[in-house]
Amino acid sequence: ARDVVYARKLFSVIGLDGQAHTPINAEAPIRGAAGMTMTLAVCPPGQGPGLHSHRHTYETFTVLDGEFEVSWNDDGSERATLRRFDTISFPPGVCRAFRNIGRGEGIVQVVITGGVHDMSDIAFSRKAKQEIEAVRPGLAAEFEKVGFSFDAAESA
């Protein structure tokens, strides 16, 4: 079920200062870079985080290795294919997702900027909740207990 909300492997490079916490930046060697975070997202073929939005922050993706499909809008209807060093950025409130469409493991650099962000900044789509529930009924509630929400389109 984590494959619906996270890249398979996450390597935090720059994390938030000690006051704000997310599971993503817990082990970052660099902290407190003016509220910016940088994470390397490593995905096997076919995998990547589902449709979500950030309420207060910008999210910028740069493909470092492989080929990824990025989708956006409330229903993910807009799409682009990104290859090495291609970059795309999304403002607050816009739903977005990415998925490795290459043949091997791919890497995306994820930079989040522009405002206070923690778990309350991220909202996943109702579709993501349905995908998690398909793994095991009631499992989405476990994600909600740690701060996830599934109202991305409504919170935009």
Side-chain angles (χ1 to χ4, degrees), residues 34-36 56-58 92 112-117 121:
M36 180 189 99
H56 307 289
T57 56
Y58 291 77
I112 299 175
T113 57
V116 175
H117 57 100
D121 184 47

Side-chain angles (χ1 to χ4, degrees), residues 3-156:
D3 277 358
V4 175
V5 296
Y6 290 128
R8 181 73 52 86
K9 298 178 201 168
L10 295 169
F11 298 99
S12 296
V13 178
I14 301 173
L16 299 172
D17 65 19
Q19 297 173 355
H21 298 284
T22 71
I24 296 169
N25 73 0
E27 301 298 321
I30 301 168
R31 294 197 170 251
M36 180 189 99
T37 63
M38 180 191 303
T39 304
L40 301 180
V42 181
C43 302
Q47 200 270 326
L51 206 56
H52 68 285
S53 69
H54 291 244
R55 292 181 169 97
H56 307 289
T57 56
Y58 291 77
E59 189 171 34
T60 303
F61 304 117
T62 301
V63 174
L64 300 181
D65 192 24
E67 184 175 16
F68 285 81
E69 179 181 74
V70 178
S71 58
W72 62 93
N73 286 340
D74 290 351
D75 59 357
S77 60
E78 296 291 325
R79 298 177 186 279
T81 299
L82 304 181
R83 293 173 181 85
R84 191 168 190 216
F85 301 132
D86 287 342
T87 301
I88 191 167
S89 187
F90 295 98
V94 174
C95 289
R96 77 291 306 255
F98 64 87
R99 180 175 59 91
N100 180 353
I101 59 171
R103 293 182 181 175
E105 194 170 69
I107 303 171
V108 173
Q109 175 184 272
V110 181
V111 176
I112 299 175
T113 57
V116 175
H117 57 100
D118 54 21
M119 289 307 295
S120 67
D121 184 47
I122 303 169
F124 284 87
S125 69
R126 281 181 264 155
K127 181 180 178 197
K129 185 174 187 174
Q130 292 168 350
E131 291 172 357
I132 290 169
E133 287 293 302
V135 173
R136 188 184 74 198
L139 189 56
E142 298 301 314
F143 282 86
E144 290 170 326
K145 285 180 186 176
V146 296
F148 284 89
S149 68
F150 297 97
D151 60 352
E154 300 98 48
S155 66

